[in-house]
Amino acid sequence: MTAPNDMFIDAEWSVASDGAREDIVNPATEETADSVPIATTADLDRALAAADRGWRQWRQADAWTRSAALRKIAGITRDRADEIAAVLTEEQGKPLAEAKGELAAAADQFDWYADEARRIYGRTIDGHSRQHRLLVMRQPIGPVAAFVPWNFPALLAARKIAPAIAAGCSIIVKPPIEAPRTVLCLAQACHDAEIPAGVVNMVTGDSARISAHLIGSGVIRKVSLTGSVPVGRLILKLCAEQMIPASMELGGHSPVLVFEDADVEGAAEICARGKFRNMGQVCISASRFFVQEAAVDRFTQRFVEVTRSLKIGDPSQPDTDAGPLANQRRVEATTALVADAVANGATIACGGSRPEGFDKGFFFEPTVLCGVNTSMKVMTDEPFGPVAPITTFTDLDDALAKANDTDFGLAGYVFTNNTRTAFLASEGLDVGMVGVNNLVIATAEAPFGGIKNSGFGREGGAEGIEAYTV
């Protein structure tokens, strides 16, 4: 397929009013893959006017109509998954198999909210006398501004578009410059599913200028951001000035607790493969590995074996396990984390630099660090890259103290064969989500989100639609 590369405003593909465009870089080759428009103030005002008209029409659609439309989007997304996945791999760098998995997950979001559209319940309440009844109704909140990151552009856009449509809202999406065409493909799917004009809009360009203009417009009534903590703080300040509610899914630094009674070698394999999915550029990526002292040697040995077996290469090839990082910034940040850890006493068990033979592209070897401690930045700063620090704990209390020693609180993981330990560890982790004996916790039917600096609000599950209603 030919990927769309223009903005989508009021059901039409649009270039910038002044013709300006910005290049998209293929992270595997560092070559220009395409370009997208840089929205002007006039373009943003057109999108805002369209969204304002669109939701006033769409909110009148009954729940079954909205449900059918969402189901159609899901089907179109699945039918085009292979083609869109190729676009995603070209502009974001994740291996093709992972890109296809992301498109399947994006389609699941539309399918899930096709059902939730028909389950926006109200209630009646007895009044002070038999002559009075109170009726509580939930209605669409209005036009939404949604900001999508580059690491999972299709899935994270779908998490915002689907509940907005389901609730009867309109939405303006700002795709990431690293992977905009993937998100624009979803706009095409919405259009082909006959979503009315103005309900789904997408604008590309300068994120700071776009966010400030949209949020300050007086049209937007709800904001949803998936991004970093610093960006989240900036967006929240803009929302506070307008009294706009916001959902914030921000950074993470997820602890993994591996107890000696677990299937240690099995846990190590799950952790190694999970850690280096999308080269660690995952907000819920397992990123701090705490292993009970008696099991650490076995865990580390198997973790390193699996890491070394991962094939680094062209992400468009089906046998590639590890592709490039998304941009040069991630390479520089990863390099700095490894250097800091080594300078403070850590040892590199494998990886640690650019792989041999890769003169082009933002490649970095999957890296395992041993002998880490809390003085190292890799244990305090969100790595968002292919670095796995391994250290030890003595007992449950020690594990929880170390795991919770962070300002982040998105996800955590526990590996144990003891039910009591599983419950105590899960309930003791200061995070929004916990996986037990697996790292797969992001799914359409369950709420997704964190606490502390990792943000607030939930996407997915029955809870995900609530933020789009009043």
Side-chain angles (χ1 to χ4, degrees), residues 63-288:
W64 287 79
T65 297
R66 299 197 303 270
S67 175
L70 283 157
R71 195 80 72 196
K72 194 170 182 180
I73 297 169
I76 292 170
T77 302
R78 287 197 176 91
D79 290 343
R80 299 173 183 172
D82 288 352
E83 292 85 357
I84 301 174
V87 175
L88 174 53
T89 292
E90 180 183 45
E91 61 185 10
Q92 198 271 340
K94 67 179 55 179
L96 192 57
E98 292 184 21
K100 292 178 180 179
E102 180 178 342
L103 266 297
D108 285 349
Q109 293 289 326
F110 291 107
D111 254 340
W112 176 261
Y113 284 106
D115 294 326
E116 291 302 303
R118 296 175 296 181
R119 295 176 183 146
I120 303 175
Y121 299 122
R123 68 186 188 274
T124 58
I125 308 163
D126 280 351
H128 278 62
S129 73
R130 295 299 297 165
Q131 283 71 45
H132 296 86
R133 297 290 183 274
L134 306 178
L135 175 63
V136 179
M137 301 176 65
R138 299 202 72 87
Q139 297 186 325
I141 195 170
V144 177
F147 302 95
V148 179
W150 48 260
N151 59 329
F152 285 87
L155 172 58
L156 299 180
R159 275 191 190 158
K160 304 175 193 307
I161 298 169
I165 293 175
C169 300
S170 62
I171 189 168
I172 302 175
V173 180
K174 165 59 178 69
I177 184 52
E178 289 87 350
R181 296 174 303 162
T182 299
V183 185
L184 294 170
C185 287
L186 296 184
Q188 184 67 62
C190 292
H191 179 67
D192 294 345
E194 300 179 327
I195 299 297
V199 176
V200 176
N201 307 274
M202 296 190 183
V203 293
T204 54
D206 181 77
S207 296
R209 190 164 58 82
I210 290 173
S211 59
H213 191 80
L214 294 183
I215 296 170
S217 66
V219 172
I220 296 301
R221 300 193 184 182
K222 153 78 182 169
V223 169
S224 178
L225 167 75
T226 302
S228 68
V229 174
V231 171
R233 290 194 177 109
L234 292 174
I235 295 294
L236 279 175
K237 289 178 181 178
L238 294 173
C239 290
E241 292 173 356
Q242 302 294 325
M243 296 299 289
I244 298 174
S247 299
M248 295 279 131
E249 195 270 281
L250 307 178
H253 203 349
S254 303
V256 181
L257 308 183
V258 181
F259 291 86
E260 61 186 357
D261 60 54
D263 173 4
V264 175
E265 285 77 11
E269 180 156 0
I270 291 170
C271 288
R273 295 192 184 281
K275 167 61 200 177
F276 298 114
R277 181 170 68 101
N278 199 26
M279 289 301 280
Q281 299 167 123
V282 184
C283 57
I284 57 170
S285 175
S287 55
R288 293 177 295 144

